Amino acid sequence: MSNKVEARSMEISMEEEGSIKKRKKVQNFPKKMKKIIKILWNFGKEDPRRVIHALKVGIALTLVSLLYLMEPFFKGVGKNALWAVMTVVVVLEFSAGATLRKGLNRGLGTLIAGSLAFFIEWVAIHSGKILGGIFIGTSVFIIGSTITYMRFIPYIKKNYDYGMLVFLLTFNLITVSSYRVDTVIKIAHARLYTICIGIGICLFMSLLVFPIWSGDDLHKSTFTKLQGLSRCIEACVIEYFEDKEGDKETSDSESDDEDLIYKGYKTVLDSKSADEALAMYASWEIRHTRLCHKFPSQQYIKVGSVLRKFSYTVVALHGCLQTEIQTPRSIRILFKDPCVRLAREICKVLSELSESIENRRHCSPEILSDSLEAALKDLNTTITSQPKLFLGSNLHGDLTNKHLNGHVSYYNDTTTNDIVSYNNDNNNPNGCVLGQTVELNDTVSPLPLNSVVSLSSLRSVKKSAAIGEKRRLRKQLSKIAVMKSLEFSEALPFAAFASLLVEMVARLDTVIDEVEELGTIACFKEYDNTVDVRVEKPVDLVIGD
């Protein structure tokens, strides 16, 4: 009896839990709906053209549905009106170029396939029943194999693959059906008319009602990438020379700068497929400019390719901020002014190129000004004025020795006159660490075998140590090898940073040449000295000490 009571109570508790969960779901439903509406609102706010395109598709479907809903249109078209609806759903794309590409592919594919099928049917009718069937089968094999093979050609696959697919489908349906059904040609004609009606509605909505041009999107993408690279370089230089120890409270701003740098060059590196798609759609678009010049889509692709190569140096520059070995701030501060000046000039050039593309005008003849060359010379002079940092010195060797004595455990053998011996498991052919002794005055000299700690004794000591101690010692010894073999290792990270800035200047020539070529092909207006060009970012790089 007690078991039944307990089972009944458990069922009641489970029912109560289920009802509580249902009430919570009902109570949370308005919050979820608000969240979904907010996401949709922000998505449309980010690009209002998405809302416009959605409305255009709805209007086009409504118009084409009238062929089936209204009695006069239905009598003329009949059940084939559904093909017009299918055409609108398939053909109407976001941009005018994409719609033109799909619409013309579908229309021409259907028209050519219908014409060829009509010719094959005429030949089959006049050849008799048996020969006609053989002729139709042979034609289907030859045409199907040829069209399928042609779809592998890169140019055809890129521009006409959809048209080939529509041609193959329409041709086989009409040709095979005509052998048994006599009225198939009439049905094909009716479907062709409805498909043309659907394509016409799509082209009307895409070209005349708030048109969205892929060429404009590609144009905007190009100068936006230049602006992003300019901001990336600015943020990298600011972060490299700022005092991180004194700005502990600005961790949020540092993370924002990190996101700015990452998004800037990531947009450029990931833009290849998007640029190629926009260029392909732009090549289908009719000329909508005042002078009706041909849109230089391939030149925009070249500019994007050059910008991706330039962005590799920006990625490497960002990597200099995250290396394990960093140049001390006391050394970096010596080169801050020339590096900031050079970075400022590079950003000015990128901003000028962005402004010229955005305003469709040629670049300033003085885009590579004397100030850029002066900044390079200033950096070179500053580096050559500090030879000890890059060529090594006894003073720097003492500094390295201090690092060794402060961070590394060593074995002191009283029989070797204060000589320290370092152990390393790896066989070093040069004898830099293994089997080599180092005096405390930082001089290195090989000793007799009887005065050096043997490898077996070192291994016995290591066996008696803890596992964590072994890993720590091995890691420290690897850093010792770097610091002892390269006395100027502290200056190496800055040398890489400075060399990347110089590499950017060298790659600017290629970027400028491609942008100028773009202006020539696209017939950009000439540069006007009387008009002040406003460069929003960056004007100056202000870095606190």
Side-chain angles (χ1 to χ4, degrees):
M1 186 68 182
S2 59
N3 293 333
K4 292 183 178 179
V5 173
E6 290 178 359
R8 182 60 181 170
S9 61
M10 290 178 63
E11 291 178 359
I12 294 173
S13 61
M14 291 177 63
E15 290 177 358
E16 290 178 352
E17 290 179 359
S19 61
I20 291 172
K21 290 181 180 180
K22 289 181 180 180
R23 283 198 298 268
K24 286 183 178 180
K25 288 182 179 180
V26 173
Q27 292 175 358
N28 293 331
F29 182 75
K31 294 181 180 179
K32 291 183 179 179
M33 289 301 299
K34 288 181 181 179
K35 187 177 180 180
I36 294 173
I37 292 173
K38 186 177 180 180
I39 293 173
L40 294 176
W41 175 266
N42 293 333
F43 192 70
K45 188 178 180 181
E46 182 182 349
D47 190 356
R49 299 180 304 172
R50 296 167 180 166
V51 180
I52 295 174
H53 175 68
L55 295 175
K56 287 163 62 176
V57 173
I59 294 172
L61 288 173
T62 304
L63 291 176
V64 79
S65 298
L66 296 177
L67 297 175
Y68 203 84
L69 298 176
M70 298 184 69
E71 190 68 23
F73 293 140
F74 182 76
K75 290 182 179 179
V77 178
K79 297 180 180 180
N80 294 315
L82 293 177
W83 286 88
V85 178
M86 293 174 58
T87 301
V88 171
V89 173
V90 173
V91 170
L92 189 54
E93 294 285 344
F94 182 74
S95 64
T99 303
L100 277 167
R101 175 175 171 269
K102 267 200 169 181
L104 294 179
N105 270 277
R106 185 175 179 84
L108 292 176
T110 304
L111 179 62
I112 296 173
S115 302
L116 184 60
F118 177 77
F119 171 74
I120 290 176
E121 185 200 13
W122 182 82
V123 174
I125 291 174
H126 290 78
S127 300
K129 196 70 174 177
I130 298 176
L131 292 178
I134 296 173
F135 181 73
I136 290 176
T138 305
S139 301
V140 168
F141 170 76
I142 294 174
I143 298 297
S145 302
T146 303
I147 296 300
T148 303
Y149 182 77
M150 290 177 64
R151 291 179 63 192
F152 289 108
I153 300 174
Y155 179 77
I156 293 178
K157 188 174 185 63
K158 180 181 178 181
N159 294 281
Y160 305 105
D161 186 68
Y162 181 69
M164 290 288 186
L165 187 63
V166 171
F167 172 86
L168 197 60
L169 178 63
T170 305
F171 174 78
N172 281 275
L173 287 177
I174 296 176
T175 304
V176 175
S177 300
S178 63
Y179 186 74
R180 296 292 181 182
V181 182
D182 295 335
T183 61
V184 68
I185 298 299
K186 295 181 179 180
I187 297 174
H189 287 170
R191 290 182 179 179
L192 178 62
Y193 296 149
T194 55
I195 289 173
C196 291
I197 292 172
I199 293 174
I201 292 175
C202 291
L203 295 179
F204 173 79
M205 298 299 299
S206 183
L207 299 178
L208 301 179
V209 181
F210 297 103
I212 300 171
W213 305 104
S214 298
D216 291 344
D217 289 344
L218 182 59
H219 179 83
K220 183 179 179 181
S221 172
T222 303
F223 69 77
T224 302
K225 287 185 289 189
L226 282 165
Q227 294 174 355
L229 289 176
S230 177
R231 296 189 182 100
C232 276
I233 298 171
E234 177 188 10
C236 283
V237 175
I238 289 175
E239 185 176 348
Y240 189 76
F241 289 103
E242 69 181 358
D243 188 3
K244 296 182 179 180
E245 295 180 357
D247 296 333
K248 292 182 180 179
E249 297 179 357
T250 61
S251 58
D252 293 338
S253 61
E254 289 179 1
S255 61
D256 293 340
D257 292 340
E258 197 74 18
D259 293 339
L260 176 65
I261 297 171
Y262 179 72
K263 289 180 180 178
Y265 63 72
K266 185 177 183 298
T267 302
V268 180
L269 294 176
D270 295 344
S271 63
K272 181 179 179 181
S273 58
D275 288 351
E276 290 179 350
L278 290 174
M280 180 181 64
Y281 297 149
S283 63
W284 284 85
E285 292 176 354
I286 58 176
R287 303 280 69 80
H288 57 279
T289 58
R290 181 171 58 87
L291 300 177
C292 293
H293 294 301
K294 182 180 179 181
F295 187 80
S297 57
Q298 294 304 315
Q299 186 60 31
Y300 276 99
I301 294 294
K302 292 181 180 179
V303 174
S305 177
V306 170
L307 289 181
R308 280 190 294 276
K309 293 180 181 178
F310 183 86
S311 65
Y312 297 153
T313 58
V314 182
V315 176
L317 194 72
H318 185 214
C320 291
L321 308 179
Q322 302 171 342
T323 55
E324 289 290 335
I325 302 176
Q326 287 288 343
T327 301
R329 178 172 169 75
S330 58
I331 297 178
R332 277 184 291 172
I333 201 68
L334 299 174
F335 308 97
K336 186 184 80 169
D337 291 338
C339 287
V340 169
R341 182 183 176 189
L342 182 60
R344 181 172 63 244
E345 295 301 326
I346 294 173
C347 292
K348 282 184 178 180
V349 173
L350 293 176
S351 298
E352 167 62 21
L353 292 174
S354 175
E355 288 284 335
S356 66
I357 295 177
E358 182 178 8
N359 298 323
R360 301 181 187 273
R361 63 166 176 81
H362 285 280
C363 303
S364 170
E366 300 177 356
I367 186 170
L368 291 178
S369 59
D370 296 336
S371 57
L372 180 61
E373 183 179 357
L376 280 172
K377 291 182 179 178
D378 188 16
L379 179 60
N380 181 60
T381 303
T382 307
I383 292 176
T384 54
S385 66
Q386 302 289 338
K388 293 182 179 180
L389 295 176
F390 300 95
L391 300 179
S393 64
N394 292 331
L395 179 63
H396 197 73
D398 296 338
L399 179 63
T400 305
N401 196 30
K402 291 179 182 179
H403 284 289
L404 298 179
N405 295 333
H407 297 285
V408 180
S409 302
Y410 57 91
Y411 301 97
N412 191 354
D413 190 354
T414 57
T415 64
T416 57
N417 298 327
D418 294 329
I419 294 176
V420 181
S421 177
Y422 295 93
N423 174 46
N424 193 344
D425 289 341
N426 298 328
N427 294 327
N428 192 337
N430 296 327
C432 294
V433 179
L434 179 61
Q436 184 178 8
T437 58
V438 182
E439 295 182 4
L440 290 181
N441 60 357
D442 201 34
T443 61
V444 180
S445 61
L447 295 178
L449 294 175
N450 57 4
S451 64
V452 182
V453 179
S454 64
L455 183 61
S456 60
S457 63
L458 289 179
R459 285 180 176 174
S460 63
V461 172
K462 290 177 68 179
K463 287 180 180 179
S464 62
I467 297 176
E469 183 67 20
K470 288 195 298 182
R471 292 179 179 176
R472 184 179 66 83
L473 184 60
R474 185 177 299 143
K475 185 176 181 181
Q476 290 173 343
L477 289 175
S478 63
K479 292 185 177 180
I480 292 170
V482 176
M483 296 177 69
K484 289 301 294 180
S485 60
L486 300 175
E487 292 182 347
F488 51 93
S489 60
E490 289 183 339
L492 276 180
F494 169 75
F497 186 85
S499 65
L500 288 171
L501 289 177
V502 177
E503 177 66 18
M504 286 181 184
V505 177
R507 296 194 179 194
L508 276 177
D509 287 334
T510 308
V511 178
I512 294 172
D513 291 341
E514 294 298 336
V515 173
E516 282 293 333
E517 182 68 18
L518 173 64
T520 302
I521 297 176
C523 299
F524 284 176
K525 58 186 178 182
E526 295 295 331
Y527 178 77
D528 190 0
N529 295 325
T530 60
V531 178
D532 294 333
V533 179
R534 180 174 60 87
V535 180
E536 295 181 357
K537 257 192 175 224
V539 177
D540 286 315
L541 300 181
V542 181
I543 303 174
D545 295 332

